[in-house]
Amino acid sequence: MKESFAPILKSIFEKYGDIGASCHLESVVMRSYYVECVCFVVQELQSTAVMDLTKSKIKELLAIIKDVESAQLRVAWLRSIVDEIADSIELIDEHQVAEMAKANSDREVETLNKELESSLESLAQKEEEVRDMKTRIEEIRKRLSELELRSSDLDKNIMLLRSKVDNLDSKSLLDELV
């Protein structure tokens, strides 16, 4: 047994009893190896912050626990802790994914709000241009109507004057001169 694992093994035995009592391995070397594996998992968990544990590291630790369980060492307490950590890491990952999705959504909302604001400004400008154009069209129609009326009056006047001019007998006027 590695000396560095002695304090960990002592704590395990004090808290959980002899975890190797029901082990079916006959070789002391193999039994010690599996107990060291348990101590290794505990040491990894103690020396690494939960936020720094990766899914692959947890998967590796769970594989070690599974192998140790196959040798019938009593490590249900350790599996429970690692399972809980795995759930926590999954929640942390889901939280990070949700945070990124929220940030992306917020950026998209901001972009669309700016686009909407720009489009509304453009629409307001075009609506003002339409109002101005309608006013101009009305003014043109009014002026056109006035000019058409004047033209009609002028046509009438021209016709009247032409009729008078046509009726004039230019010879008779000259005849009266002398």
Side-chain angles (χ1 to χ4, degrees):
M1 179 74 138
K2 287 184 183 176
E3 208 175 296
S4 61
F5 289 145
I8 294 172
L9 185 59
K10 183 180 178 202
S11 294
I12 291 171
F13 278 3
E14 286 173 359
K15 191 165 185 178
Y16 302 104
D18 184 1
I19 61 170
S22 59
C23 179
H24 71 284
L25 298 174
E26 294 183 27
S27 163
V28 173
V29 172
M30 289 306 293
R31 235 179 235 230
S32 294
Y33 174 73
Y34 277 86
V35 169
E36 280 185 12
C37 288
V38 171
C39 292
F40 169 78
V41 170
V42 171
Q43 184 180 52
E44 284 294 305
L45 294 174
Q46 286 177 337
S47 65
T48 310
V50 174
M51 298 298 280
D52 295 332
L53 288 170
T54 62
K55 285 183 179 183
S56 60
K57 185 64 171 179
I58 291 298
K59 189 175 180 181
E60 175 189 336
L61 296 178
L62 284 169
I64 293 170
I65 292 170
K66 184 177 179 182
D67 289 342
V68 169
E69 287 173 330
S70 71
Q72 294 182 349
L73 267 70
R74 289 184 297 118
V75 291
W77 55 273
L78 184 55
R79 172 173 283 287
S80 144
I81 291 169
V82 175
D83 284 342
E84 191 175 323
I85 291 170
D87 290 344
S88 296
I89 289 172
E90 191 63 39
L91 282 174
I92 290 167
D93 287 349
E94 286 177 24
H95 179 261
Q96 288 172 341
V97 167
E99 288 280 338
M100 286 190 297
K102 173 76 168 104
N104 289 338
S105 177
D106 288 349
R107 277 193 298 278
E108 191 173 351
V109 164
E110 185 178 337
T111 299
L112 285 176
N113 272 330
K114 286 178 181 176
E115 186 179 333
L116 176 62
E117 186 177 317
S118 173
S119 294
L120 288 171
E121 285 174 10
S122 178
L123 177 62
Q125 182 181 359
K126 290 186 186 325
E127 286 174 340
E128 187 173 334
E129 288 173 11
V130 167
R131 280 191 302 275
D132 291 347
M133 188 60 70
K134 284 181 177 180
T135 301
R136 188 167 167 229
I137 287 170
E138 281 303 310
E139 290 171 358
I140 291 171
R141 282 184 175 152
K142 182 180 175 186
R143 178 76 177 126
L144 184 61
S145 178
E146 290 170 358
L147 287 174
E148 286 172 343
L149 184 61
R150 185 171 172 214
S151 178
S152 174
D153 288 346
L154 287 171
D155 281 344
K156 289 177 188 174
N157 197 18
I158 288 171
M159 287 170 75
L160 180 66
L161 290 172
R162 182 179 292 151
S163 155
K164 287 183 180 180
V165 167
D166 286 346
N167 286 335
L168 279 181
D169 190 9
S170 56
K171 284 186 179 178
S172 68
L173 286 175
L174 287 177
D175 287 341
E176 288 181 23
L177 241 172
V178 238

